[in-house]
Amino acid sequence: MTTSSRTGNTDTTAATPALLRTAAELDALPRPAGAERAVVMTMGALHDGHATLIRTAREAAGPDGQIVVTVFVNPLQFGEAADLDRYPRTLDADLATAAAAGADVVFAPGVDEVYPGGEPQVRITAGPMGERLEGASRPGHFDGMLTVVAKLLHLTRPDEAFYGQKDAQQLALITRMVRDLNFGVRITGVPTVRDADGLALSSRNRFLSPQERHTALALPRALFAARDRLAAQQALHERAKATAPGGDRAAGLNKLGEARAAADAQAVALARPNGAPAAVRATARAILEDTAARDRHPLVLDYLALVDPADFTEIPDDRESGDAILAVAARVGETRLIDNIPLTFGALT
């Protein structure tokens, strides 16, 4: 295999990235002079979501920067050996995807290289945030994730690391770890990449049958419907406020001649002029429950949660402003999927 570094080369697709297998090889890798090193961490089975992360890293680092992609299926993140064994390994295809997206180096170590002597006795603990949502469903998952991320940050020594917002809780925990433990690296989140039908890209999507994929579309459909409901309700409150400034919201809504919309908005947000978290939750849950009840390939909901992005605690129903994440996890057939969407309450006020 021909290997080449792209440092100083504006052609980000022509050369095959150097494949490194050991920490010693990585340690010997020259850093780009006068430019930055960026890292994209993956467990392989790369798809266009990963490619978007690599392209974003390349754009941020510039043509003279160095992009390192890690490919490592971390056993500490898997609760069951069957799940670990089932995870796809496609290194040859991953090298091609990384090359096309602009990577300089692929670091693909074996388990013995990352954990010499067996599983580490000292690990990073995710704390209370790591016990919520995904942490509650997959105990110990985030401890294992943070431990390997810390090791890979030390091994790759990047200036900046890029992670997808699809794994929003993971991104929040990595950001918190870097801040709390004084890692000298910038953490950058990249928006979720979706297929044309709206399904968030995931290495697990390949396990879905066509019928199961149709069922899985309820996840993005629920999130988008909740987002649209929030936007419509906030716009309605703004119009009512403009119609009856300083006055009664109900009177303003009725003055608009939108009795049905007014009643709907008041029912869930009479004392909440902006966001109505209850309406967001109810809209998404209705779609998910309808799919679970009607589809021949049932969707089994794990959680639907509207949380604060800072610590992943539930947003109270009286929240009037601020950012939130609406997150969902469900199993379709044998495949567990997650998705989320960022929301902002009170955005129009």
Side-chain angles (χ1 to χ4, degrees):
M1 179 181 293
T2 301
T3 59
S4 173
S5 171
R6 286 173 182 75
T7 302
N9 182 359
T10 58
D11 180 356
T12 61
T13 62
T16 301
L19 176 60
L20 307 183
R21 292 289 198 170
T22 69
E25 290 176 323
L26 190 59
D27 190 54
L29 180 69
R31 297 187 68 87
E36 292 196 337
R37 176 184 288 176
V39 68
V40 174
M41 296 182 187
T42 82
M43 290 205 298
L46 303 189
H47 49 66
D48 196 53
H50 298 110
T52 298
L53 289 172
I54 299 168
R55 288 192 293 266
T56 303
R58 168 56 65 195
E59 183 177 353
D64 294 327
Q66 188 179 70
I67 310 303
V68 178
V69 175
T70 68
V71 175
F72 179 65
V73 182
N74 178 31
L76 301 188
Q77 293 176 227
F78 290 83
E80 299 180 7
D83 289 339
L84 175 62
D85 294 339
R86 188 175 183 231
Y87 198 89
R89 275 81 164 175
T90 58
L91 184 57
D92 288 343
D94 294 344
L95 288 169
T97 299
D104 297 298
V105 176
V106 171
F107 178 52
V111 174
D112 291 342
E113 184 68 23
V114 177
Y115 302 121
E119 292 189 2
Q121 296 187 35
V122 176
R123 307 187 188 193
I124 291 181
T125 301
M129 187 176 11
E131 298 172 357
R132 300 171 186 136
L133 300 189
E134 284 299 291
S137 298
R138 305 166 67 187
H141 166 74
F142 285 126
D143 291 356
M145 179 275 294
L146 289 178
T147 298
V148 79
V149 166
K151 290 204 70 166
L152 291 173
L153 286 175
H154 288 312
L155 288 169
T156 58
R157 295 175 291 119
D159 299 287
E160 190 168 10
F162 294 80
Y163 301 90
Q165 291 177 356
K166 173 181 169 289
D167 297 295
Q169 194 172 3
Q170 170 179 282
L171 173 59
L173 281 163
I174 293 171
T175 301
R176 187 62 184 253
M177 177 185 73
V178 165
R179 186 184 74 186
D180 286 355
L181 302 183
N182 299 101
F183 281 65
V185 60
R186 299 189 304 276
I187 302 298
T188 299
V190 178
T192 300
V193 179
R194 300 181 181 276
D195 271 328
D197 60 8
L199 192 65
L201 294 187
S202 170
S203 301
R204 297 177 184 270
N205 291 353
R206 68 185 64 199
F207 299 129
L208 297 170
S209 69
Q211 296 80 11
E212 288 171 342
R213 184 182 178 96
H214 181 269
T215 298
L217 292 177
L219 273 67
R221 190 164 67 247
L223 297 178
F224 296 151
R227 180 191 62 188
D228 292 346
R229 172 66 180 270
L230 174 62
Q233 187 161 304
Q234 292 186 157
L236 180 60
H237 281 306
E238 289 300 307
R239 292 171 64 191
K241 206 161 60 173
T243 302
D248 185 275
R249 268 200 324 282
L253 291 167
N254 288 322
K255 189 174 180 180
L256 288 170
E258 302 181 48
R260 180 175 179 180
D264 180 56
Q266 284 177 267
V268 295
L270 183 60
R272 305 170 192 124
N274 298 319
V280 168
R281 293 186 179 97
T283 299
R285 187 170 293 278
I287 292 173
L288 295 168
E289 290 180 348
D290 182 69
T291 300
R294 294 174 180 271
D295 204 286
R296 289 189 304 162
H297 300 272
L299 178 152
V300 180
L301 183 64
D302 187 348
Y303 62 75
L304 174 71
L306 183 65
V307 297
D308 189 321
D311 58 10
F312 275 68
T313 56
E314 284 280 350
I315 295 289
D317 281 347
D318 60 357
R319 172 68 60 87
E320 296 185 358
S321 63
D323 294 331
I325 292 175
L326 182 62
V328 62
R331 188 172 293 277
V332 180
E334 297 298 317
T335 305
R336 187 176 183 276
L337 301 173
I338 64 171
D339 201 350
N340 71 83
I341 193 169
L343 300 173
T344 301
F345 292 93
L348 300 180
T349 59

